[in-house]
Amino acid sequence: MAHSVKRYHGLMDWLTTVDHKKIGILYLLAGGLFFLIGGIEAILIRIQLMQPKLDFVSAETFNELITMHGTTMIFLAVMPIIFALMNAIIPLQIGARDVAFPFLNALGFWTFFFGGVLLNLSWVIGGAPDAGWTSYMPLASNTYSNTHGVDFYSIGLQIAGIGTLLGGINFLVTIINMRAPGMSFMRMPMFTWAVFITSALILFAFPAITVGLVLLTFDRLFGANFFEVANGGNAVLWEHIFWIFGHPEVYILIVPAFGIISEVISTFSRKRLFGYSSMVFATILIGFLGFMVWAHHMFTAGLGPVANALFSIATMLIAVPTGIKIFNWLFTLWGGQLTFNTSSLFAIGFIPTFVMGGVTGVMLASAPADFQYHDSYFVVAHFHYVIVGGLVLGLFSGLHYWWPKMFGRLLNETLGRLTFWTFFIGFHLTFFVQHFLGLMGMPRRVFTYLPNQGFDTLNLISSIGAFLMGVGTIIFLLNITITARKPKDAANDPWGDGRTLEWTIPSPAPEHNFTQIPLVRGLDAYWKEKVAGNKEMPASEPIGPIHMPSASIIPFLMSVGLFIAGFGFMFAKDEFASSFVGMLFNNYIVAIIGLLITFGGMFCRSVFDDHGWHIEPEDLEDKGVKA
Amino acid sequence: MMNRWHAVKRLLPILAGLALLLSACGRADLSTLQPQGPIAEKQYDLMKLSIGMMTVVVVIVFVILGYVLVRFRKRPGQTDIPKQVEGSHKLEIIWTVIPIILLVILVIPTVKYVFEFAEDYSKDKNAVQVKVTSHQYWWEFEYPQYGVKTGQELVIPTSKKISLQLNTADVLHSFWVPSLFGKIDTNPEGTTNKAYFEAPKAGVYFGKCAELCGPSHALMDFKVKAVDDAKFDEWVKEMKAPAVLPEDPALAATFEQKCLSCHAVGDKGGTLGPNLTGIGNKQAIASVLLGTDGTVEENLKTWISDPVKVKPGSKMPKVPLTAEELDGISKYLANYKLNYDNSGN
């Protein structure tokens, strides 16, 4: 039995960790970094549009900014922050010691990270992608986008996408197999349910974008003709592939927010979730319907009346389960004892904001009217209401809620409320007026607009709102910095009303999470025990040695390999000033070296067994994860 | 139940006010909220219906939320545990069934209009057939029934249906005339889209490109000009009239050599760029240089001397012209006017 274990320290600790709590923190750091980059891009966009005919950035740069803003925010900012919360909380919530595949978990993080870094390096090497986050062909083809921008997009997202797919599979397996004894599916906390459904959506949606990106990459790098009309390809095909992934992606984003809101509202109103089983059913239905509605992004592409009618109806149907969720939240609050704090404020702010995003979604679902809304600022307003007003508010709520569990410290309440009000007011200021801009005839993705069209005032208001959101984000960062200097004094259950298993263990959780895996005796397991007068969860096992996975640098190296290979393929046909560098790239030597590193890592992992190590009962005085 | 009815009664004036507010939004020749043709009107009806219904939903949620936030906040000294309610079948059925009813109300006109708007007039002899071809960054309109091709300004008669067949010559664009018709994408050859609309009121309407198509996507505006039948026939006649070249033979030669390789005037010239016949009448040069920027002649000069500066990514090259040639050609084009619409615009 492998008893002694090599412990890494400092940076090496973070590069080699397979601990879900540390990986959660890594996701948060990287996702937060990309969130700031995407936010700066957003501010630049809003400065350019503050007044008509401004020349703050050029038309070309503007298209790069909108493309990178969308791509960064969706793939590299909010998804990783969702993964941060999934990693930090799910094993704790289901009473597990780690995820099912800790090594895979680390690999998922590092591929996401290097994919994101690759994509963002486009700003300094070879030009950023400029064909929109949807990258419609033929605009994204070599003919019309002749920098390496779209190559960075296709290869960067491909590498990052591997991480997401691995993560999705990992959490599916974890939630199916590693729940504590007694936690049946219908006793799972709502956040766990949400992550379970999101992971299933990832499993089915990401292969579509993977295939799409392969086709796009082949078109661009190797002259394949999947989307080249002149050579028998079809440009509309890309739209289908993209949205078959793209629409479920929206639900991949919003469903975890549903989970977070359910937890926060239930905790802070001291009531169990109203209509738990219908919440579960509604979320599954939303996920299922999410795969049947992709063509509502293509109502104006000319699919014909039968398709437009059917996709209209399917899309509207989603309003029903969504409505169920909204009213269940409202009636969870009804009759409760609601505590106001930053986390609950964000959750309460979520409800009306998300409803507004939802109702504009129903409006957009009506295809004949969508002929007007489509690709106008109305759509921009709609999806920001859902993604920022829904998901980002949900993430803020969740971060403030679980911060003590992740870091052992409570965020400052005054600064938190300031974050909420500036961000919330800024958000509505920015995006509410955009509905009207769209209805008044302003197309989206325009780098400027002419005066005298009635767009001026509303755009100015929108830009002011964006600055306010920026201020809110800065206050949040300030809050984190200040909090990080405080002692780690958060209690196990700092809110006093925790209902689920993560609040039964120290904040932050020790390396092995649970000394004894708890026994779950109902929904809201911890609350149930508290009401019954018990201070702790009943254990489902005696104290014994705890098996732990070994840290490994291989996930990091494999991702570096993919990163190198990505560059190798992308620049294989370029001319270089140095003939040696040219030789390396043009003969695919760089690409091959990169792949060798990745497959070498895979080989080592497969051939050399690593049985992990054990924490013995006498060593169970762990100090928890460092942050 | 009483409460809900009261809420609805209080809502009615709000809804009426909302409709008023909406219709005050934007320019009549640009806003979707001030429809000028039957299709846009039906779309606006659908919008009003859905906005109205959705406003009711939003208000109900806001009212309940406002109530619970005030009524059920934790009071100091409260230590009892609230009743843990599992759910309520009755309530859950209510908020499942009512949305379904609302959706059915919305689905009926939606489906009706989906099919109505998809009717095909491309074989209709009474309709004006127009082949729309989008380019980076301009619009080409061909009238096969009349043998006329023009750019940037879609001239149509007020009495007839306009039947469009749309394609792109390069990347995807989207043809959008907010006050008349909504939008439809222009796809590459092979996936031709069809659409139709009418503009019963004479006037000039804004058109926009609504699909990201490159750096100058924002600058791809066009106009739809609806005129009465007599004027339309006159316009066709004038468009087909023989080209009038510059009087100065040297300038005419330069013009033919350097401009007509891509552009056409009257019966002369190429088709790579927009037809220039009657450019002197147009409101906008290169779709973005307006009367507020200068006279037509000055705008033409600005444009010709550096197209990419006006429209980033424009395919029109900087044509090597002397200062005199530039002046001469700008002046000539600015005076190349058609007389079908003497009222001016």
Side-chain angles (χ1 to χ4, degrees):
Chain A
M1 196 166 278
H3 200 70
S4 63
V5 58
K6 181 156 170 45
R7 289 272 190 180
Y8 295 100
H9 295 284
L11 183 64
M12 262 317 263
D13 179 34
W14 289 100
L15 297 184
T16 58
T17 186
V18 292
D19 179 348
H20 70 97
K21 298 175 287 297
K22 285 185 180 162
I23 290 173
I25 291 169
L26 286 174
Y27 266 117
L28 185 62
L29 284 173
L33 174 74
F34 288 125
F35 186 80
L36 291 182
I37 295 174
I40 291 168
E41 285 154 2
I43 296 282
L44 295 178
I45 291 170
R46 279 318 318 171
I47 294 177
Q48 166 70 13
L49 293 175
M50 202 154 67
Q51 284 174 7
K53 286 179 92 171
L54 273 190
D55 204 12
F56 177 70
V57 294
S58 72
E60 289 86 355
T61 313
F62 185 87
N63 285 357
E64 295 179 339
L65 283 172
I66 56 162
T67 305
M68 286 300 283
H69 168 71
T71 315
T72 305
M73 282 303 198
I74 300 256
F75 292 100
L76 308 179
V78 291
M79 283 199 65
I81 297 177
I82 291 170
F83 268 87
L85 288 177
M86 282 160 72
N87 267 289
I89 302 306
I90 290 298
L92 309 184
Q93 238 182 13
I94 62 173
R97 294 218 167 91
D98 206 321
V99 292
F101 308 118
F103 179 91
L104 211 59
N105 202 15
L107 182 62
F109 168 75
W110 289 112
T111 50
F112 139 68
F113 180 72
F114 280 106
V117 170
L118 181 81
L119 184 50
N120 274 279
L121 280 178
S122 64
W123 283 115
V124 282
I125 326 168
D130 56 0
W133 88 282
T134 50
S135 218
Y136 274 12
M137 293 296 254
L139 185 63
S141 67
N142 283 333
T143 321
Y144 299 102
S145 181
N146 50 18
T147 67
H148 274 301
V150 180
D151 299 329
F152 277 105
Y153 169 95
S154 62
I155 293 175
L157 286 189
Q158 191 69 277
I159 296 174
I162 295 172
T164 311
L165 192 53
L166 291 180
I169 294 170
N170 202 351
F171 278 92
L172 273 179
V173 178
T174 305
I175 294 172
I176 292 173
N177 289 308
M178 297 181 69
R179 282 165 290 134
M183 184 180 277
S184 61
F185 269 95
M186 290 313 276
R187 285 179 182 176
M188 286 193 327
M190 204 54 218
F191 181 62
T192 303
W193 257 114
V195 168
F196 182 66
I197 293 162
T198 282
S199 303
L201 297 185
I202 288 174
L203 180 66
F204 291 108
F206 265 74
I209 191 72
T210 306
V211 170
L213 289 173
V214 167
L215 302 185
L216 180 62
T217 311
F218 274 48
D219 261 19
R220 287 185 57 92
L221 294 185
F222 309 121
N225 292 308
F226 295 107
F227 309 115
E228 282 294 338
V229 178
N231 298 327
N234 188 328
V236 181
L237 178 64
W238 167 263
E239 297 183 36
H240 281 290
I241 298 175
F242 185 85
W243 287 116
I244 284 174
F245 148 78
H247 198 80
E249 167 71 13
V250 179
Y251 294 93
I252 292 171
L253 298 178
I254 196 65
V255 165
F258 291 163
I260 295 168
I261 301 302
S262 303
E263 299 287 329
V264 170
I265 283 184
S266 167
T267 301
F268 292 116
S269 59
R270 306 186 80 212
K271 269 186 71 201
R272 68 172 276 167
L273 194 61
F274 189 92
Y276 169 82
S277 41
S278 69
M279 285 297 245
V280 171
F281 180 71
T283 317
I284 294 173
L285 201 59
I286 290 172
F288 180 74
L289 287 173
F291 281 94
M292 327 258 151
V293 297
W294 79 88
H296 69 215
H297 297 268
M298 300 165 60
F299 279 150
T300 65
L303 302 179
V306 177
N308 280 2
L310 287 176
F311 279 99
S312 279
I313 296 169
T315 306
M316 287 184 195
L317 276 181
I318 294 185
V320 177
T322 313
I324 292 176
K325 296 194 75 84
I326 298 284
F327 283 102
N328 276 331
W329 286 322
L330 290 176
F331 279 79
T332 305
L333 291 165
W334 192 290
Q337 298 165 355
L338 179 61
T339 309
F340 286 92
N341 55 31
T342 312
S343 177
S344 68
L345 277 175
F346 272 111
I348 292 161
F350 167 97
I351 295 176
T353 315
F354 181 73
V355 167
M356 288 166 76
V359 296
T360 51
V362 178
M363 292 172 64
L364 283 159
S366 174
D370 182 69
F371 290 168
Q372 290 285 22
Y373 310 133
H374 191 87
D375 268 337
S376 77
Y377 256 84
F378 188 84
V379 175
V380 177
H382 160 72
F383 67 70
H384 281 95
Y385 261 80
V386 176
I387 294 178
V388 183
L391 174 62
V392 175
L393 292 186
L395 286 176
F396 270 122
S397 174
L399 284 172
H400 284 87
Y401 180 59
W402 281 308
W403 201 267
K405 194 48 70 184
M406 290 177 79
F407 298 101
R409 303 173 179 96
L410 281 153
L411 285 167
N412 181 298
E413 195 48 37
T414 317
L415 287 176
R417 282 170 192 241
L418 210 54
T419 310
F420 170 74
W421 287 111
T422 43
F423 195 86
F424 187 75
I425 294 170
F427 165 79
H428 283 280
L429 221 48
T430 312
F431 294 108
F432 187 70
V433 293
Q434 291 187 359
H435 292 114
F436 296 93
L437 280 173
L439 296 177
M440 286 157 62
M442 180 162 164
R444 69 187 277 210
R445 292 166 160 177
V446 289
F447 81 95
T448 192
Y449 50 95
L450 299 181
N452 300 321
Q453 299 186 95
F455 301 160
D456 307 9
T457 320
L458 297 184
N459 270 300
L460 180 63
I461 294 173
S462 187
S463 295
I464 292 170
F467 298 142
L468 208 54
M469 288 168 80
V471 171
T473 312
I474 291 169
I475 298 172
F476 180 62
L477 291 179
L478 197 68
N479 195 351
I480 294 176
T481 323
I482 291 172
T483 307
R485 291 158 185 275
K486 296 270 163 62
K488 285 189 189 183
D489 56 357
N492 288 10
D493 180 11
W495 308 115
D497 289 318
R499 310 175 72 85
T500 41
L501 292 179
E502 73 268 32
W503 305 114
T504 63
I505 53 174
S507 307
E511 192 175 13
H512 56 276
N513 296 353
F514 295 89
T515 309
Q516 290 168 291
I517 299 290
L519 180 70
V520 174
R521 296 200 278 203
L523 178 67
D524 294 336
Y526 185 33
W527 174 268
K528 217 172 158 60
E529 299 298 336
K530 279 197 273 191
V531 173
N534 303 329
K535 290 233 156 48
E536 283 178 358
M537 294 299 297
S540 68
E541 59 173 11
I543 292 183
I546 296 168
H547 178 247
M548 300 295 290
S550 302
S552 170
I553 192 72
I554 294 178
F556 177 82
L557 293 179
M558 285 174 71
S559 310
V560 171
L562 286 175
F563 179 76
I564 295 170
F567 273 108
F569 281 112
M570 206 184 304
F571 290 94
K573 299 219 170 95
D574 283 43
E575 284 174 25
F576 292 88
S578 144
S579 63
F580 177 67
V581 178
M583 189 270 287
L584 287 182
F585 273 95
N586 295 344
N587 296 313
Y588 290 98
I589 293 174
V590 176
I592 290 168
I593 291 174
L595 289 179
L596 279 179
I597 295 174
T598 303
F599 285 110
M602 218 184 259
F603 179 81
C604 291
R605 170 72 184 168
S606 310
V607 170
F608 301 108
D609 278 347
D610 184 343
H611 295 291
W613 54 288
H614 284 79
I615 301 178
E616 297 303 329
E618 58 268 26
D619 298 331
L620 277 173
E621 298 299 312
D622 198 285
K623 284 163 292 294
V625 63
K626 275 176 286 176
Chain B
M1 270 303 155
M2 264 323 272
N3 275 343
R4 191 168 295 140
W5 175 236
H6 275 301
V8 171
K9 267 205 292 197
R10 238 170 284 160
L11 274 178
L12 289 175
I14 301 178
L15 288 183
L18 193 79
L20 238 141
L21 194 77
L22 283 179
S23 59
C25 268
R27 290 173 59 137
D29 51 1
L30 172 61
S31 174
T32 65
L33 303 171
Q34 299 189 47
Q36 306 293 322
I39 291 196
E41 256 159 41
K42 285 166 191 167
Q43 288 167 330
Y44 184 51
D45 289 342
L46 209 46
M47 284 181 192
K48 280 189 292 190
L49 174 70
S50 55
I51 292 177
M53 268 174 11
M54 293 306 134
T55 311
V56 174
V57 172
V58 168
V59 170
I60 290 172
V61 171
F62 280 25
V63 168
I64 298 177
L65 183 66
Y67 177 75
V68 294
L69 291 188
V70 175
R71 174 72 182 73
F72 297 111
R73 56 198 310 164
K74 190 171 185 177
R75 321 224 173 254
Q78 213 171 17
T79 50
D80 60 309
I81 293 171
K83 193 167 167 242
Q84 304 291 305
V85 189
E86 200 174 316
S88 155
H89 285 302
K90 203 171 103 190
L91 282 173
E92 283 170 41
I93 288 169
I94 289 176
W95 60 60
T96 309
V97 172
I98 291 180
I100 291 177
I101 295 170
L102 290 180
L103 290 184
V104 170
I105 297 173
L106 189 58
V107 159
I108 293 167
T110 295
V111 173
K112 181 177 156 235
Y113 289 143
V114 163
F115 284 92
E116 191 180 318
F117 294 173
E119 271 170 46
D120 184 359
Y121 288 93
S122 63
K123 304 277 183 301
D124 187 341
K125 293 217 170 55
N126 294 321
V128 177
Q129 302 294 332
V130 182
K131 274 188 158 164
V132 177
T133 310
S134 53
H135 301 258
Q136 278 179 326
Y137 301 96
W138 61 282
W139 297 87
E140 178 185 319
F141 305 112
E142 187 188 349
Y143 302 68
Q145 290 153 312
Y146 305 98
V148 170
K149 208 183 242 186
T150 180
Q152 291 300 71
E153 195 176 76
L154 177 64
V155 179
I156 53 170
T158 47
S159 68
K160 287 184 179 170
K161 281 206 166 60
I162 315 302
S163 161
L164 307 174
Q165 292 193 53
L166 309 98
N167 274 120
T168 176
D170 37 54
V171 303
L172 304 187
H173 304 269
S174 193
F175 178 94
W176 185 22
V177 191
S179 56
L180 291 177
F181 137 90
K183 66 180 77 66
I184 188 89
D185 293 358
T186 62
N187 298 326
E189 206 69 56
T191 35
T192 306
N193 278 333
K194 290 174 185 170
Y196 73 92
F197 71 103
E198 283 166 90
K201 287 184 221 166
V204 181
Y205 306 98
F206 271 70
K208 304 239 169 215
C209 174
E211 185 69 77
L212 180 64
C213 57
S216 280
H217 162 55
L219 307 178
M220 217 177 130
D221 292 4
F222 61 97
K223 297 286 188 309
V224 174
K225 185 171 178 180
V227 293
D228 62 41
D229 292 13
K231 283 182 180 171
F232 180 73
D233 293 339
E234 177 63 21
W235 175 76
V236 171
K237 215 167 83 192
E238 290 184 46
M239 285 300 289
K240 295 176 81 169
V244 185
L245 290 181
E247 281 164 21
D248 175 6
L251 191 66
T254 313
F255 181 69
E256 269 197 277
Q257 189 201 340
K258 291 186 174 159
C259 303
L260 293 189
S261 48
C262 296
H263 295 280
V265 283
D267 53 353
K268 277 203 171 67
T271 52
L272 284 176
N275 188 315
L276 300 176
T277 315
I279 193 168
N281 298 80
K282 297 214 169 130
Q283 282 188 344
I285 298 303
S287 66
V288 286
L289 295 170
L290 307 174
T292 45
D293 297 298
T295 62
V296 173
E297 190 180 330
E298 284 162 357
N299 287 341
L300 278 164
K301 233 189 267 182
T302 315
W303 167 244
I304 298 168
S305 56
D306 195 352
V308 175
K309 199 176 161 207
V310 178
K311 267 189 179 179
S314 168
K315 297 280 186 294
M316 173 156 159
K318 209 190 257 190
V319 182
L321 294 170
T322 64
E324 293 87 60
E325 285 169 344
L326 179 63
D327 285 349
I329 288 173
S330 302
K331 191 168 179 195
Y332 152 74
L333 285 175
N335 290 318
Y336 204 131
K337 291 185 180 169
L338 300 179
N339 298 314
Y340 68 99
D341 188 15
N342 281 324
S343 59
N345 45 55

